[in-house]
Amino acid sequence: MKPASFDYYSPASADEAVALLQKFEDDGVDAKIVAGGQSLMPMLAMRVARPEALIDLRRAVGLDHIGENNGVIAVGAMASKSAAEESPLIRAKQPLFHAATRLVGHRQIRNRGSVGGSFAHADPASEYPAVALVLGMEMKVLGPSGPRLIPADEFFVTYMTTSMESTEILTEVRMPALPAGTGWAIQEFARRNGDLALAGVALTLPVAGGKCGDVRIAAFGVNATAVRLTIAEEALRGQPADQTSFARAAAAGAQALEEPMTCLHASAEYRRHLVQTLTARCLAEAAGRSGH
Ligand SMILES: Cc1cc2nc3c(=O)[nH]c(=O)nc-3n(C[C@H](O)[C@H](O)[C@H](O)COP(=O)(O)OP(=O)(O)OC[C@H]3O[C@@H](n4cnc5c(N)ncnc54)[C@H](O)[C@@H]3O)c2cc1C
């Protein structure tokens, strides 16, 4: 199928894009931002989405930076996933985000798909929302009244829904550098390499004196949005960083999941089982990386 017809706009700046969104909102025109098009274009082709106007961010300057300021790594929303994957800064200072990026789709999709697009799209099976919860990331958005920062736990609302207003665009995502002595891991299960995950787990595990510190764990592909496994986190805090603690926490975390999704490929119970297995494996992998 081919997309329904739409008007095409190519603003030269983020401000211009926001002004267009505001104008269309005022005129009652259904407008959508397009970034890399890797999720939106198939939706247009299948006519799941039929916006009357498309606002393409590719020519908008100043949205594709990758840099660090005072220990905070900032990635422009229009930086491609390949640029994030190839960034020496991200590889060295935030290896969890780097590893998550490499799990997204195939190389061709990472070449075209933007980092910001995956945050804005908020697919429950996407790796980035889970990593954002684990790292306590912040999203910088721009609207008619200026920029604002939204913490990750307020950004992802539910299935493909964020707390951005319809006249706002995402301009940057921010994350802290990984502290020394903190292990990390991300693992997922997909039917084929490059597919969106049936379930996945991302976590950070600080270890000091053989004991777990402030562990942060999130699962994706399981509920309508990525979820923190707080029961597992609490079960680990102050406990020995060993297989017994990891197995107990993984079981408690998976058991506490609220109504995992069911689909053609995986039942709720299968997803729960995947989360338990992947959490235990991630904890063991992260403990190794923590130097423990
Ligand atoms: C075969 C295949 C496999 C895939 N596998 C994975 C995977 O394993 N993991 C994964 O996470 N993704 C996967 N994807 C999706 C892919 O990563 C997309 O690149 C990503 O979801 C969207 O990025 P994009 O730049 O292409 O955004 P687009 O498709 O252009 O836009 C997606 C949505 O976000 C909105 N949007 C985009 N940028 C902004 C912005 N700056 N401000 C406000 N709104 C914005 C758009 O309006 C649209 O609603 C896969 C896609 C395909 C086709």
Side-chain angles (χ1 to χ4, degrees):
M1 278 175 80
K2 291 199 169 66
S5 66
F6 53 81
D7 292 331
Y8 176 81
Y9 297 83
S10 180
S13 69
D15 285 326
E16 220 179 277
V18 170
L20 281 168
L21 281 175
Q22 181 69 67
K23 177 189 173 308
F24 289 131
E25 173 95 350
D26 294 344
D27 294 349
V29 172
D30 179 22
K32 256 209 163 311
I33 295 288
V34 61
Q38 297 303 291
S39 294
L40 187 60
M41 294 318 290
M43 290 169 77
L44 295 190
M46 288 185 279
R47 303 205 175 189
V48 175
R50 301 176 68 136
E52 297 164 270
L54 270 194
I55 303 169
D56 188 347
L57 289 185
R58 269 179 309 172
R59 276 188 56 244
V61 292
L63 290 176
D64 62 354
H65 53 281
I66 298 180
E68 186 188 16
N69 195 359
N70 286 332
V72 176
I73 298 163
V75 182
M78 285 302 289
S80 71
K81 294 189 181 76
S82 290
E85 185 178 351
E86 283 155 20
S87 158
L89 172 72
I90 294 179
R91 184 193 287 264
K93 298 217 170 166
Q94 194 34 269
L96 175 58
F97 190 83
H98 183 259
T101 304
R102 287 176 56 86
L103 287 174
V104 175
H106 307 280
R107 183 73 182 172
Q108 292 86 341
I109 288 156
R110 298 196 294 273
N111 283 344
R112 302 286 301 194
S114 65
V115 166
S118 288
F119 285 85
H121 194 52
D123 189 316
S126 173
E127 294 80 3
Y128 278 164
V131 168
L133 291 182
V134 166
L135 297 180
M137 287 176 67
E138 285 182 320
M139 318 308 146
K140 189 176 178 192
V141 304
L142 180 69
S145 48
R148 66 181 177 121
L149 283 175
I150 310 177
D153 57 2
E154 292 172 20
F155 187 79
F156 302 105
V157 177
T158 184
Y159 186 78
M160 292 185 172
T161 308
T162 72
S163 56
M164 275 191 295
E165 300 291 337
S166 55
T167 50
E168 286 179 324
I169 63 166
L170 179 63
T171 55
E172 184 180 279
V173 298
R174 296 180 177 182
M175 66 197 96
L178 193 79
T182 296
W184 60 272
I186 180 165
Q187 293 194 22
E188 64 183 34
F189 183 80
R191 293 179 73 232
R192 295 172 308 189
N193 186 25
D195 280 3
L196 282 154
L198 291 180
V201 170
L203 57 84
T204 51
L205 171 64
V207 181
K211 299 258 172 74
C212 302
D214 187 16
V215 189
R216 291 174 72 104
I217 311 174
F220 54 98
V222 179
N223 292 119
T225 185
V227 281
R228 288 269 298 276
L229 302 187
T230 49
I231 300 283
E233 294 173 354
E234 282 158 21
L236 282 166
R237 223 159 275 144
Q239 297 302 308
D242 61 20
Q243 296 295 344
T244 309
S245 307
F246 296 163
R248 198 183 305 128
Q255 209 46 50
L257 279 171
E258 274 180 36
E259 294 182 33
M261 290 188 290
T262 293
C263 71
L264 189 63
H265 304 300
S267 66
E269 278 320 297
Y270 185 54
R271 282 194 159 87
R272 202 184 289 283
H273 162 77
L274 284 175
V275 169
Q276 179 171 344
T277 304
L278 295 171
T279 303
R281 288 182 187 169
C282 278
L283 285 166
E285 191 182 355
R289 289 195 175 113
S290 72
H292 171 62

